Structures are given as C-alpha cells and as structure tokens.
C-alpha cells in the first residue's frame, strides 16, 4: 500500500541521455528553464514551426504547378490554415496516387477541412513517400485511383514493392490508416490499386481507422462517408460539403461551329474533328494535354447526363477547342456523347463543356526529345502537344501513329507533311494495320526502330502515349520494355518521362 514515503531517489545527472531528454520536455513546455523570456522564445519558435508547415506546403504546391484549379485549392487551404493546428502533434500524412487529378483534388480538400478543424496535415504524392518518414507517423490517409487494367496510376508504379521492401513485414504497428479507393465499376478490376494498397498496409501491420471506402466514378455518397469517417476518427467536426459535386468547376456554354468527317470510306467507325468556340474566345485557357469534359443531354429527359472526357487537340492560340471524336455505335444507335457531338447536335448548338488540366499527360517544359505514340482518335491528344512544340520551335519530335488504311485513314497527312517540310518534326511514322496481308501496328514500328528509340531516350527523351487502353497501350508498353529494358521503362515512369492519356 502507499505510505507516501520515498522509496527511491533518481538523480537527473545519473540518467541516460534519452531519459534526460524525456525529463526535459515538461519543464521546457512550462517555461521552467528560462522564465518568461524562455516562454516567449518557445512560443515564437513553435509558431515558426507552424509557419514552416504552411510555407512548406506552398512550396510543394508551387512545384506541382498543375494550373488554376490547384492554385484555387492552395488559396483555400491557406485561408483555412490560419486557425492553427495543435502544436507538437505529428501531422497526419495525406498521400495521393492519381492519373487524371481526382485523387489529388480530394486530398487537397480533405487536408483543408482537417486543417480548418485544427488537425495538422502534410500532403504529398505517394510516389515521393519514404519508408523512414512513414515510421514516424501515427496517421496516414491514402487516396488512390486505379488505372490501366487494375494497375496503379503511372507515377505510383513500383511504390508498393518499394515500401514493402523498405519497411518490412509488420514494420508499421503504430500506424493507423484511412484508405479511399477511386475507381469505376465498368472496369474488370474495380479499385484494384486501392485493394492492393490495403493488402500492403495489412502486411506492414498498420491498423485501419475504418474499412476502405471505394468510390465508383466520383460517387458523392461514398465521398460524404469518407468525410464522416474522418470526423469520427479524429473527433472533429468536418464540413459535410467538403467534397460536394457543386464544388467542381461549372460547365461553360460553348458553341458547336464545325464538324468534319476525317475518314470518309473508312472500314472503321467514323472519326470527326469537332470544333467548339466561346462567344468570348479570350475567356478560355488551357495547357496542352488538357481534357474537355462534355455533358450531353440525355435523349429521353433532356436533362444533363454524366460527362464524357475528350483529349483537346488544339491550343488556346487556335481560338477554339478541337476534339477528335470517334463515333461509338451501339445496338440502338450512337453513343450518348459521341453521337451528340458528331450527329445529333445541330451546328450552332450550345454544348456544356469544361476544361480540365491533365497533369499526368502535361507537356514537358524542357527542350528534350519527345516521342509521341498513339492510335486512332489518340492523335488528338498528341496533336495538341505537337502544335505547342512546333510553336515553341522544338523540333526533336517523333510521331508513331496507327490507323487502318492509308487510303481512308491518313487524316493527318497534310499537317504532318507541312511540319516535316519545315523541319518541325523529325519523323512522322504512320503505321497502317490493314494495308498489307499481315497486320502491322505501332508496337511493331517501335520494335523495328529500337536502336533510334534508345538514343532518343538516352538523350533525355519523354514518351507520350495517347489512344486505346484495350490493345494499343499494353502492346506499346510491352514493346517499349523489350527495346529499352523493363528497368528503364520503370525509371521513365518514376521520373515522369512516360506520360499516358489512354481510354
Ligand atoms: C481520359 C479520356 C480521354 C478520352 N479522349 C477521347 C478522345 O479524344 N476521342 C474520343 O473519341 N474518345 C475519347 N474518350 C472516350 C470518351 O470519353 C467516351 O467514352 C466515348 O466517346 C464514348 O462515349 P459515348 O457517350 O458516346 O458512349 P456511351 O453511350 O457512354 O457508350 C459507351 C459504351 O458504354 C456501353 N453502353 C452504353 N450504353 C449501352 C447500351 N444501351 N447497351 C450496351 N452497351 C452500352 C458500351 O460498351 C459502349 O461502348 C476519352 C476517354 C477518357 C477517359
Ligand atoms: C485508362 C483508364 C483505366 C482505368 N482503369 C480502371 C480499373 O482498372 N479499375 C477501376 O476501378 N477504375 C479504373 N479507371 C477509373 C479511374 O480509377 C477513375 O476514373 C478515377 O476516378 C480516376 O481518378 P484520378 O483522376 O485520381 O486518376 C480507369 C480510368 C481510366 C481513364
């Protein structure tokens, strides 16, 4: 029983260094050491730490420079952060893996909401996450989409293997995590990458804060659940409208001014160049590689249907948005959006459209060689980049584009011939799959040209791929791995030198 009598006397000087440090924390906090001046100095340096968290965040966002939307998010986050987060707590880490930008936007908004509620946060791409830093954390929030065929987004390629290796089995027993997996149920492996991350976390011994939340095509109910679960996990009140769909940029009214059939007589489906203008052309701006989201009216009700995405094939300097749209044929007629743009909408019709940056397919700033590979309507996304490179006077461009027959499908011939004559493009390889008795595709051209391709990559080249997810993109990936070596292709992915817009 307790008698109140001292049974042991421990001298500070006799303690090991670690114990002395621990013993110093309380008097440091209470200002016992240096009186009032000490307390003021401590308060100022704590405030500076908070400032570093905010300025560090700004530097990170500046480096990303993914356009106006991110700048908007930054402004919002900066305005919410002034409430201050609990000093001394290990910030909650938010890591994202994204291909087309949704996961990053969700993370930015989640961080802003948590900061506003007084929870300190750090944000970074999952690809930049180090194992050592993870070991220091108590809370990790992961937001990750799935790309390709159940695969990680390009920039996150190899991250699971690296972290599993660097951390080791059961290496994160103190970590609690929340996982938001973005996907689309129309794909065979729904949320495949999110599920792989959950498996990784289990293997590392981390504990879930709540069961993984899967989001089908931006489902607002699933996003609201994410906000609710986080509020519960951190015992804070979070704004329930954090991820409200109305928060997305509004659709603008564009006018359909031209559509041209590019492949008359083709054995494939009709491909159109669709041109749209705004009444005030200066009101529109986008970076090469951007996506246009088009919202067609539903034929039965006339109300807006879900938006479809198209790669922008023109530059703001062209004064219009041009899209290359393949007509999709279904049993009962044409696809909703492709049919609207290429057939049902009359010329002059108002089209609901909004432009979105596509960071994973952005044009490289440096004057490095660029190899542009694609098929069919994928020429659209590549053309935006080619036009910008030509405009900037950067001539080390190599196009490898696949279509069916030279006689009907060589729709880019005139433009490419002019660029070749002007020395604005080094090679414009068109590969026609059905002109010869044996089929020939872009991946065959890659294999033939392996040696030149290796040279372009050795010179710092960047590879762009745009077009079919089924068939072309995996076959191109395989051919690149054959001629460059798998390790080089992985390095290209990790170094953001292999950029894809595939669908
Ligand atoms: C990042 C990205 C970039 C893209 N860029 C381009 C581009 O530059 N050019 C381009 O042409 N396309 C592009 N696409 C594809 C485009 O977004 C649309 O998916 C495409 O135009 C088809 O849309 P739709 O509304 O015409 O067809 P939908 O009506 O959506 O039909 C598409 C598919 O849904 C299924 N489906 C729908 N209704 C039925 C039904 N009643 N019965 C059976 N099956 C049905 C079918 O599988 C059909 O093939 C891109 C896609 C992405 C994700
Ligand atoms: C080319 C492509 C492949 C995709 N593959 C899958 C898939 O295999 N499984 C899945 O659930 N979702 C898949 N999706 C859907 C995306 O994961 C979903 O649209 C997500 O919201 C994108 O988020 P992000 O913008 O952060 O990349 C795919 C989307 C695209 C464009």
């Amino acid at each position: 029983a307790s008698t109140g009598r001292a049974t042991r006397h421990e001298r500070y000087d006799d303690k090991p260094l670690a114990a002395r440090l621990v013993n110093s924390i309380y008097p440091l906090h209470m200002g016992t050491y240096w009186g009032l001046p000490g307390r003021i100095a401590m308060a100022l340096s704590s405030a500076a730490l908070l400032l570093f968290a905010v300025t560090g965040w700004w530097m990170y966002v500046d480096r990303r420079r993914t356009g106006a939307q991110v700048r908007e998010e930054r402004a919002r986050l900066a305005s919410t952060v002034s409430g201050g987060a609990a000093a001394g707590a290990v910030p909650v880490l938010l890591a994202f893996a994204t291909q087309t930008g949704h996961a990053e936007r969700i993370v930015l908004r989640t961080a802003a909401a948590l900061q506003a509620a007084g929870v300190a946060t750090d944000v970074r791409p999952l690809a930049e996450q180090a194992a050592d830093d993870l070991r220091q954390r108590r809370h990790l929030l992961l937001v990750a989409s799935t790309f390709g065929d159940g695969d990680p987004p390009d920039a996150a390629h190899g991250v699971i293997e690296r972290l599993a290796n660097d951390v080791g089995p059961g290496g994160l027993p103190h970590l609690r995590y929340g996982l938001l997996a973005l996907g689309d149920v129309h794909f065979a492996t729904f949320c495949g990458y999110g599920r792989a991350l959950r498996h990784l976390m289990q293997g590392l011994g981390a504990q879930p804060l709540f069961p993984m939340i899967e989001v089908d095509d931006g489902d607002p109910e699933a996003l609201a659940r994410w906000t609710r679960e986080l509020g519960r996990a951190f015992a804070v009140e979070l704004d329930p409208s954090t991820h409200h769909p109305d928060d997305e940029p509004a659709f603008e009214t564009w006018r359909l001014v031209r559509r041209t059939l590019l492949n008359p007589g083709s054995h494939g489906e009709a491909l159109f160049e669709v041109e749209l203008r705004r009444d005030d052309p200066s009101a529109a701006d986008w970076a090469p590689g951007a996506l246009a989201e088009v919202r067609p009216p539903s034929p039965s009700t006339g109300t807006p249907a879900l938006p479809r995405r198209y790669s922008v094939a023109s530059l703001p300097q062209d004064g219009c948005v041009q899209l290359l749209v393949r007509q999709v044929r279904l049993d009962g007629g044409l696809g909703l959006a492709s049919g609207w743009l290429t057939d049902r909408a009359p010329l002059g019709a108002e089209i609901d459209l909004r432009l979105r940056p596509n960071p994973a397919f952005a044009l490289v700033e440096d004057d490095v060689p660029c190899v542009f590979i694609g098929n069919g309507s994928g020429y659209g996304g590549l053309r935006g980049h080619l036009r910008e490179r030509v405009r900037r006077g950067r001539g080390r461009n190599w196009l490898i584009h696949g279509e069916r027959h030279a006689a009907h499908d060589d729709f880019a011939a005139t433009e490419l011939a002019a660029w070749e004559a002007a020395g604005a493009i080094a090679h414009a390889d068109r590969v026609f799959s059905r002109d010869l008795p044996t089929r020939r595709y872009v991946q065959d051209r890659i294999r033939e040209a392996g040696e030149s391709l290796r040279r372009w990559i050795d010179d710092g080249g960047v590879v762009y791929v745009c077009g079919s997810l089924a068939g072309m993109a995996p076959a191109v990936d395989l051919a690149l791995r054959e001629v460059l070596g798998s390790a080089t292709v992985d390095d290209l992915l990790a170094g953001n030198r292999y950029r894809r817009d595939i669908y």
Side-chain angles (χ1 to χ4, degrees):
S2 156
T3 62
R5 204 159 54 86
T7 57
R8 198 153 43 125
H9 181 67
E10 287 183 357
R11 281 173 53 83
Y12 180 84
D13 283 348
D14 297 340
K15 282 177 173 290
L17 176 65
R20 273 188 269 160
L21 280 174
V22 170
N23 274 8
S24 308
I25 290 172
Y26 183 77
L28 259 179
H29 271 269
M30 300 313 291
T32 313
Y33 279 158
W34 302 294
L36 184 63
R39 272 192 238 182
I40 292 172
M42 279 296 160
L44 285 177
S45 43
S46 306
L49 271 182
L50 187 61
L51 186 69
F52 282 151
V54 177
T55 50
W57 165 255
W58 278 340
M59 282 165 62
Y60 158 71
V61 175
D62 263 347
R63 220 175 48 235
R64 298 277 304 166
R65 281 198 292 149
T66 55
Q69 277 169 344
V70 169
R71 282 198 293 278
E72 237 171 63
E73 300 287 355
R74 177 182 63 178
R76 271 226 296 258
L77 183 60
S79 67
T80 55
V81 87
S82 56
V90 182
V92 174
L93 176 65
L94 289 93
F96 61 88
T98 186
Q99 186 72 27
T100 47
H102 290 106
E104 182 174 6
R105 280 197 290 277
I106 289 171
V107 154
L108 288 171
R109 284 173 193 184
T110 304
L114 286 170
Q115 295 268 29
V119 180
T121 61
D122 286 336
V123 173
R124 76 175 52 120
L126 182 59
E128 291 174 16
Q129 182 57 45
D132 278 350
D133 176 78
L134 264 189
R135 290 198 194 90
Q136 317 299 321
R137 302 285 175 169
R138 291 292 166 270
H139 295 104
L140 167 68
L141 302 179
L142 281 167
V143 181
S145 69
T146 295
F147 190 57
D149 184 13
D151 303 325
D154 285 339
H157 190 88
V159 166
I160 286 188
E161 294 76 5
R162 176 172 61 77
L163 288 178
N165 188 53
D166 293 357
V167 174
L172 298 175
H174 305 300
L175 186 70
R176 305 203 66 196
Y177 71 95
L179 176 52
L180 187 73
L182 309 188
D184 186 323
V185 289
H186 293 99
F187 289 91
T189 320
F190 179 52
C191 290
Y193 189 55
R195 292 174 191 186
L197 283 172
R198 180 176 57 183
H199 189 249
L200 169 75
M201 287 294 127
Q202 285 165 348
L204 300 180
Q207 300 301 314
L209 289 160
F210 44 83
M212 174 172 79
I213 296 175
E214 295 177 334
V215 186
D216 174 25
D217 195 16
D219 173 21
E221 167 44 33
L223 290 171
R225 204 159 76 240
W226 169 249
T227 308
R228 277 199 306 277
E229 291 287 9
L230 291 178
R232 213 169 291 150
F234 294 102
V236 290
E237 190 113 350
L238 294 182
D239 180 356
S241 68
T242 301
H243 303 290
H244 200 274
D246 290 351
D247 245 18
E248 297 288 303
F251 280 89
E252 296 159 334
T253 302
W254 290 67
R255 209 167 284 284
L256 176 65
V257 295
R258 179 174 67 83
R259 66 174 155 235
T260 307
L261 177 63
L262 296 179
N263 58 348
S266 175
H267 297 207
E269 297 301 344
L271 180 68
F272 285 85
E273 182 173 52
V274 172
E275 188 169 305
L276 304 123
R277 286 180 188 268
R278 295 203 71 183
D279 293 339
D280 172 11
S282 67
D285 194 20
W286 65 92
L291 294 169
E293 285 185 346
V294 173
R295 193 171 58 178
S298 151
S300 47
T301 60
T303 53
L306 282 177
R308 274 41 166 192
R309 286 177 276 181
Y310 296 91
S311 317
V312 178
S314 56
L315 301 177
Q317 288 80 359
D318 297 317
C320 58
V321 160
Q322 293 168 339
L323 311 173
L324 300 197
V325 181
R326 178 82 65 187
Q327 251 180 11
V328 170
R329 276 196 185 277
L330 306 169
D331 283 349
L334 298 177
L336 199 58
S338 63
W340 168 241
L341 288 170
T342 64
D343 184 70
R344 287 196 313 279
L347 280 185
E350 292 186 344
I351 308 283
D352 285 353
L353 182 150
R354 69 181 170 204
L355 292 159
R356 292 280 197 158
N358 188 7
F361 194 66
L363 185 58
V364 60
E365 286 295 321
D366 303 332
D367 190 2
V368 291
C370 287
V371 184
F372 298 101
I373 304 168
N375 70 334
S377 59
Y379 180 69
L382 303 176
R383 186 174 82 179
H385 283 330
L386 278 166
R387 283 191 180 170
E388 180 63 11
R389 296 264 301 176
V390 172
R391 206 179 67 82
R392 293 188 197 176
R394 293 182 177 162
R396 206 142 173 228
N397 301 307
W398 181 356
L399 173 74
I400 305 178
H401 182 250
E403 258 293 354
R404 286 195 176 178
H405 293 106
H408 308 292
D409 302 304
D410 198 7
F411 53 85
T414 313
E415 185 170 40
L416 292 173
W419 283 337
E420 275 185 304
I425 187 167
H427 315 286
D429 296 337
R430 265 99 83 222
V431 184
F432 295 100
S433 58
R434 302 186 185 200
D435 275 354
L436 298 170
T438 47
R439 297 279 168 94
R440 198 175 120 78
Y441 298 102
V442 285
Q443 56 269 28
D444 300 316
R445 178 70 196 129
I446 290 171
R447 289 198 180 87
E448 284 164 16
E451 209 175 303
S452 306
L453 198 60
R454 275 194 294 277
R455 238 177 296 121
W456 280 54
I457 298 303
D458 286 347
D459 292 347
V462 176
V463 178
Y464 287 85
V465 178
C466 189
S468 307
L469 166 66
M472 188 274 296
V476 163
D477 188 77
L478 195 66
L480 289 173
R481 286 175 190 277
E482 274 175 40
V483 302
L484 301 174
S486 223
T488 303
V489 173
D490 288 343
D491 287 349
L492 290 177
L493 278 169
N496 205 10
R497 289 171 55 201
Y498 179 13
R499 305 182 181 196
R500 302 193 295 172
D501 170 16
I502 52 181
Y503 47 87

mmCIF file of all heavy atoms in Angstrom, residues 12 27 32 111 115 126 146 190 195 226 246 267 293-294 302 317 330 351 363 365-366 381 404 406 417 441 443 463 466:
data_model
loop_
_atom_site.group_PDB
_atom_site.id
_atom_site.type_symbol
_atom_site.label_atom_id
_atom_site.label_comp_id
_atom_site.label_asym_id
_atom_site.label_seq_id
_atom_site.Cartn_x
_atom_site.Cartn_y
_atom_site.Cartn_z
ATOM 1 N N TYR A 12 19.058 13.359 -11.747
ATOM 2 C CA TYR A 12 18.973 13.713 -13.170
ATOM 3 C C TYR A 12 20.287 13.378 -13.886
ATOM 4 O O TYR A 12 20.308 12.756 -14.941
ATOM 5 C CB TYR A 12 18.658 15.210 -13.288
ATOM 6 C CG TYR A 12 18.546 15.721 -14.714
ATOM 7 C CD1 TYR A 12 17.344 15.599 -15.409
ATOM 8 C CD2 TYR A 12 19.626 16.320 -15.354
ATOM 9 C CE1 TYR A 12 17.223 16.062 -16.705
ATOM 10 C CE2 TYR A 12 19.517 16.785 -16.640
ATOM 11 C CZ TYR A 12 18.317 16.662 -17.326
ATOM 12 O OH TYR A 12 18.208 17.125 -18.612
ATOM 13 N N PRO A 27 9.411 20.594 -18.236
ATOM 14 C CA PRO A 27 9.850 21.951 -17.875
ATOM 15 C C PRO A 27 10.021 22.867 -19.085
ATOM 16 O O PRO A 27 9.759 24.067 -18.998
ATOM 17 C CB PRO A 27 11.196 21.728 -17.166
ATOM 18 C CG PRO A 27 11.527 20.287 -17.280
ATOM 19 C CD PRO A 27 10.309 19.555 -17.710
ATOM 20 N N THR A 32 9.877 26.503 -17.277
ATOM 21 C CA THR A 32 10.622 26.462 -16.014
ATOM 22 C C THR A 32 12.084 26.856 -16.228
ATOM 23 O O THR A 32 12.722 27.442 -15.367
ATOM 24 C CB THR A 32 10.572 25.029 -15.436
ATOM 25 O OG1 THR A 32 9.222 24.590 -15.508
ATOM 26 C CG2 THR A 32 11.070 24.971 -14.007
ATOM 27 N N ALA A 111 -7.345 17.812 -46.747
ATOM 28 C CA ALA A 111 -6.339 18.487 -45.916
ATOM 29 C C ALA A 111 -6.873 19.833 -45.441
ATOM 30 O O ALA A 111 -6.721 20.194 -44.267
ATOM 31 C CB ALA A 111 -5.049 18.677 -46.706
ATOM 32 N N GLN A 115 -7.324 20.781 -41.587
ATOM 33 C CA GLN A 115 -6.607 21.959 -41.056
ATOM 34 C C GLN A 115 -7.590 22.916 -40.400
ATOM 35 O O GLN A 115 -7.335 23.448 -39.323
ATOM 36 C CB GLN A 115 -5.884 22.705 -42.185
ATOM 37 C CG GLN A 115 -4.768 21.918 -42.836
ATOM 38 C CD GLN A 115 -3.412 22.165 -42.185
ATOM 39 O OE1 GLN A 115 -3.328 22.459 -41.005
ATOM 40 N NE2 GLN A 115 -2.357 22.021 -42.949
ATOM 41 N N LEU A 126 2.087 9.847 -53.230
ATOM 42 C CA LEU A 126 2.521 8.570 -52.659
ATOM 43 C C LEU A 126 3.890 8.173 -53.213
ATOM 44 O O LEU A 126 4.717 7.595 -52.514
ATOM 45 C CB LEU A 126 1.475 7.494 -52.986
ATOM 46 C CG LEU A 126 1.721 6.103 -52.430
ATOM 47 C CD1 LEU A 126 1.809 6.130 -50.916
ATOM 48 C CD2 LEU A 126 0.630 5.146 -52.882
ATOM 49 N N THR A 146 -7.309 3.842 -59.613
ATOM 50 C CA THR A 146 -6.821 2.680 -60.354
ATOM 51 C C THR A 146 -6.765 3.053 -61.820
ATOM 52 O O THR A 146 -7.642 3.752 -62.316
ATOM 53 C CB THR A 146 -7.770 1.485 -60.135
ATOM 54 O OG1 THR A 146 -7.711 1.112 -58.762
ATOM 55 C CG2 THR A 146 -7.376 0.297 -60.988
ATOM 56 N N PHE A 190 -12.315 -3.588 -60.257
ATOM 57 C CA PHE A 190 -12.774 -2.359 -59.597
ATOM 58 C C PHE A 190 -11.838 -2.018 -58.436
ATOM 59 O O PHE A 190 -11.568 -2.864 -57.580
ATOM 60 C CB PHE A 190 -14.212 -2.552 -59.106
ATOM 61 C CG PHE A 190 -14.774 -1.359 -58.385
ATOM 62 C CD1 PHE A 190 -14.734 -0.094 -58.953
ATOM 63 C CD2 PHE A 190 -15.358 -1.503 -57.130
ATOM 64 C CE1 PHE A 190 -15.255 1.012 -58.295
ATOM 65 C CE2 PHE A 190 -15.892 -0.409 -56.463
ATOM 66 C CZ PHE A 190 -15.834 0.851 -57.046
ATOM 67 N N ARG A 195 -7.216 -1.738 -53.478
ATOM 68 C CA ARG A 195 -7.195 -3.027 -52.767
ATOM 69 C C ARG A 195 -5.764 -3.511 -52.563
ATOM 70 O O ARG A 195 -5.436 -4.084 -51.517
ATOM 71 C CB ARG A 195 -8.012 -4.066 -53.541
ATOM 72 C CG ARG A 195 -9.499 -3.716 -53.503
ATOM 73 C CD ARG A 195 -10.343 -4.625 -54.360
ATOM 74 N NE ARG A 195 -11.695 -4.079 -54.469
ATOM 75 C CZ ARG A 195 -12.705 -4.692 -55.061
ATOM 76 N NH1 ARG A 195 -12.519 -5.874 -55.612
ATOM 77 N NH2 ARG A 195 -13.891 -4.124 -55.115
ATOM 78 N N TRP A 226 -16.513 9.214 -46.475
ATOM 79 C CA TRP A 226 -15.091 9.491 -46.175
ATOM 80 C C TRP A 226 -14.995 10.658 -45.185
ATOM 81 O O TRP A 226 -14.312 10.577 -44.169
ATOM 82 C CB TRP A 226 -14.389 9.798 -47.489
ATOM 83 C CG TRP A 226 -12.997 10.357 -47.462
ATOM 84 C CD1 TRP A 226 -12.618 11.616 -47.817
ATOM 85 C CD2 TRP A 226 -11.769 9.669 -47.130
ATOM 86 N NE1 TRP A 226 -11.258 11.765 -47.732
ATOM 87 C CE2 TRP A 226 -10.705 10.582 -47.307
ATOM 88 C CE3 TRP A 226 -11.473 8.380 -46.703
ATOM 89 C CZ2 TRP A 226 -9.373 10.252 -47.075
ATOM 90 C CZ3 TRP A 226 -10.137 8.049 -46.466
ATOM 91 C CH2 TRP A 226 -9.114 8.975 -46.652
ATOM 92 N N ASP A 246 -21.150 20.173 -56.300
ATOM 93 C CA ASP A 246 -21.315 21.561 -56.751
ATOM 94 C C ASP A 246 -20.018 22.344 -56.621
ATOM 95 O O ASP A 246 -19.894 23.449 -57.137
ATOM 96 C CB ASP A 246 -22.404 22.271 -55.933
ATOM 97 C CG ASP A 246 -23.771 21.713 -56.284
ATOM 98 O OD1 ASP A 246 -23.842 20.945 -57.253
ATOM 99 O OD2 ASP A 246 -24.736 22.039 -55.573
ATOM 100 N N HIS A 267 -13.062 1.696 -93.221
ATOM 101 C CA HIS A 267 -13.694 0.461 -92.763
ATOM 102 C C HIS A 267 -13.973 0.526 -91.268
ATOM 103 O O HIS A 267 -14.693 -0.300 -90.729
ATOM 104 C CB HIS A 267 -12.790 -0.747 -93.067
ATOM 105 C CG HIS A 267 -12.560 -0.945 -94.535
ATOM 106 N ND1 HIS A 267 -12.288 -2.173 -95.091
ATOM 107 C CD2 HIS A 267 -12.565 -0.072 -95.574
ATOM 108 C CE1 HIS A 267 -12.126 -2.038 -96.397
ATOM 109 N NE2 HIS A 267 -12.287 -0.771 -96.708
ATOM 110 N N GLU A 293 -14.334 18.019 -70.696
ATOM 111 C CA GLU A 293 -15.463 17.202 -70.247
ATOM 112 C C GLU A 293 -16.719 17.749 -70.902
ATOM 113 O O GLU A 293 -17.041 18.929 -70.734
ATOM 114 C CB GLU A 293 -15.586 17.251 -68.726
ATOM 115 C CG GLU A 293 -14.522 16.426 -68.042
ATOM 116 C CD GLU A 293 -14.693 16.357 -66.529
ATOM 117 O OE1 GLU A 293 -15.476 17.149 -65.972
ATOM 118 O OE2 GLU A 293 -14.026 15.530 -65.917
ATOM 119 N N VAL A 294 -17.392 16.879 -71.638
ATOM 120 C CA VAL A 294 -18.599 17.296 -72.358
ATOM 121 C C VAL A 294 -19.797 16.639 -71.692
ATOM 122 O O VAL A 294 -19.782 15.438 -71.420
ATOM 123 C CB VAL A 294 -18.519 16.863 -73.841
ATOM 124 C CG1 VAL A 294 -19.831 17.124 -74.557
ATOM 125 C CG2 VAL A 294 -17.368 17.581 -74.539
ATOM 126 N N GLY A 302 -33.814 15.030 -71.609
ATOM 127 C CA GLY A 302 -33.255 16.345 -71.934
ATOM 128 C C GLY A 302 -32.401 16.917 -70.809
ATOM 129 O O GLY A 302 -31.743 17.937 -70.975
ATOM 130 N N GLN A 317 -4.271 29.378 -78.695
ATOM 131 C CA GLN A 317 -3.930 30.269 -79.814
ATOM 132 C C GLN A 317 -4.782 29.978 -81.050
ATOM 133 O O GLN A 317 -4.915 30.825 -81.929
ATOM 134 C CB GLN A 317 -2.450 30.124 -80.193
ATOM 135 C CG GLN A 317 -1.483 30.714 -79.192
ATOM 136 C CD GLN A 317 -1.236 29.791 -77.994
ATOM 137 O OE1 GLN A 317 -1.796 28.710 -77.890
ATOM 138 N NE2 GLN A 317 -0.408 30.246 -77.069
ATOM 139 N N LEU A 330 -23.731 1.665 -80.928
ATOM 140 C CA LEU A 330 -24.345 0.700 -80.016
ATOM 141 C C LEU A 330 -25.520 0.064 -80.753
ATOM 142 O O LEU A 330 -25.907 0.538 -81.823
ATOM 143 C CB LEU A 330 -24.843 1.412 -78.755
ATOM 144 C CG LEU A 330 -23.799 2.254 -78.008
ATOM 145 C CD1 LEU A 330 -24.459 3.104 -76.943
ATOM 146 C CD2 LEU A 330 -22.748 1.354 -77.388
ATOM 147 N N ILE A 351 -23.126 23.702 -76.292
ATOM 148 C CA ILE A 351 -22.572 22.463 -75.722
ATOM 149 C C ILE A 351 -22.036 22.778 -74.328
ATOM 150 O O ILE A 351 -21.271 23.733 -74.158
ATOM 151 C CB ILE A 351 -21.404 21.933 -76.593
ATOM 152 C CG1 ILE A 351 -21.803 21.797 -78.067
ATOM 153 C CG2 ILE A 351 -20.835 20.634 -76.028
ATOM 154 C CD1 ILE A 351 -22.655 20.617 -78.421
ATOM 155 N N LEU A 363 2.611 18.662 -71.035
ATOM 156 C CA LEU A 363 3.758 18.799 -71.930
ATOM 157 C C LEU A 363 4.990 19.175 -71.116
ATOM 158 O O LEU A 363 4.930 20.050 -70.255
ATOM 159 C CB LEU A 363 3.479 19.876 -72.988
ATOM 160 C CG LEU A 363 4.566 20.031 -74.059
ATOM 161 C CD1 LEU A 363 4.797 18.728 -74.812
ATOM 162 C CD2 LEU A 363 4.213 21.130 -75.041
ATOM 163 N N GLU A 365 8.318 20.872 -70.005
ATOM 164 C CA GLU A 365 8.757 22.259 -70.206
ATOM 165 C C GLU A 365 10.111 22.321 -70.921
ATOM 166 O O GLU A 365 10.355 23.197 -71.739
ATOM 167 C CB GLU A 365 8.892 22.964 -68.848
ATOM 168 C CG GLU A 365 7.565 23.317 -68.194
ATOM 169 C CD GLU A 365 6.778 24.342 -69.001
ATOM 170 O OE1 GLU A 365 7.405 25.272 -69.546
ATOM 171 O OE2 GLU A 365 5.544 24.194 -69.105
ATOM 172 N N ASP A 366 10.999 21.362 -70.577
ATOM 173 C CA ASP A 366 12.371 21.440 -71.086
ATOM 174 C C ASP A 366 12.433 21.095 -72.574
ATOM 175 O O ASP A 366 11.562 20.422 -73.104
ATOM 176 C CB ASP A 366 13.272 20.463 -70.316
ATOM 177 C CG ASP A 366 13.222 20.748 -68.828
ATOM 178 O OD1 ASP A 366 12.976 21.911 -68.476
ATOM 179 O OD2 ASP A 366 13.391 19.799 -68.042
ATOM 180 N N GLY A 381 -4.914 14.008 -78.739
ATOM 181 C CA GLY A 381 -4.114 14.402 -77.577
ATOM 182 C C GLY A 381 -2.670 14.680 -77.964
ATOM 183 O O GLY A 381 -2.029 15.583 -77.420
ATOM 184 N N ARG A 404 -5.966 2.340 -89.843
ATOM 185 C CA ARG A 404 -6.223 1.103 -90.602
ATOM 186 C C ARG A 404 -5.643 1.121 -92.019
ATOM 187 O O ARG A 404 -4.750 0.374 -92.345
ATOM 188 C CB ARG A 404 -7.720 0.860 -90.660
ATOM 189 C CG ARG A 404 -8.247 0.375 -89.335
ATOM 190 C CD ARG A 404 -9.623 -0.191 -89.501
ATOM 191 N NE ARG A 404 -10.087 -0.752 -88.251
ATOM 192 C CZ ARG A 404 -11.278 -1.292 -88.090
ATOM 193 N NH1 ARG A 404 -12.119 -1.348 -89.104
ATOM 194 N NH2 ARG A 404 -11.633 -1.782 -86.938
ATOM 195 N N ALA A 406 -4.164 3.410 -95.422
ATOM 196 C CA ALA A 406 -3.629 4.698 -95.884
ATOM 197 C C ALA A 406 -4.656 5.417 -96.761
ATOM 198 O O ALA A 406 -4.780 6.641 -96.724
ATOM 199 C CB ALA A 406 -2.336 4.473 -96.664
ATOM 200 N N ALA A 417 2.931 16.562 -93.240
ATOM 201 C CA ALA A 417 3.853 16.841 -94.352
ATOM 202 C C ALA A 417 4.403 18.263 -94.222
ATOM 203 O O ALA A 417 5.600 18.505 -94.440
ATOM 204 C CB ALA A 417 3.134 16.660 -95.684
ATOM 205 N N TYR A 441 1.303 -2.959 -86.528
ATOM 206 C CA TYR A 441 0.820 -1.978 -85.552
ATOM 207 C C TYR A 441 1.966 -1.099 -85.053
ATOM 208 O O TYR A 441 3.139 -1.373 -85.341
ATOM 209 C CB TYR A 441 0.180 -2.703 -84.358
ATOM 210 C CG TYR A 441 -1.017 -3.539 -84.741
ATOM 211 C CD1 TYR A 441 -0.912 -4.924 -84.870
ATOM 212 C CD2 TYR A 441 -2.251 -2.943 -84.986
ATOM 213 C CE1 TYR A 441 -2.011 -5.695 -85.217
ATOM 214 C CE2 TYR A 441 -3.361 -3.710 -85.338
ATOM 215 C CZ TYR A 441 -3.230 -5.085 -85.459
ATOM 216 O OH TYR A 441 -4.319 -5.844 -85.817
ATOM 217 N N GLN A 443 3.294 -0.951 -82.231
ATOM 218 C CA GLN A 443 4.290 -1.686 -81.433
ATOM 219 C C GLN A 443 5.335 -2.364 -82.330
ATOM 220 O O GLN A 443 6.487 -2.533 -81.931
ATOM 221 C CB GLN A 443 3.628 -2.705 -80.490
ATOM 222 C CG GLN A 443 2.732 -3.732 -81.136
ATOM 223 C CD GLN A 443 1.275 -3.263 -81.195
ATOM 224 O OE1 GLN A 443 1.009 -2.068 -81.255
ATOM 225 N NE2 GLN A 443 0.347 -4.203 -81.189
ATOM 226 N N VAL A 463 8.335 10.013 -73.405
ATOM 227 C CA VAL A 463 7.420 9.247 -74.253
ATOM 228 C C VAL A 463 5.976 9.599 -73.898
ATOM 229 O O VAL A 463 5.597 9.570 -72.722
ATOM 230 C CB VAL A 463 7.630 7.724 -74.056
ATOM 231 C CG1 VAL A 463 6.645 6.926 -74.895
ATOM 232 C CG2 VAL A 463 9.059 7.335 -74.386
ATOM 233 N N CYS A 466 -1.093 8.062 -76.391
ATOM 234 C CA CYS A 466 -2.489 8.501 -76.348
ATOM 235 C C CYS A 466 -3.329 7.624 -77.271
ATOM 236 O O CYS A 466 -2.964 7.395 -78.425
ATOM 237 C CB CYS A 466 -2.591 9.964 -76.780
ATOM 238 S SG CYS A 466 -4.229 10.672 -76.514
#
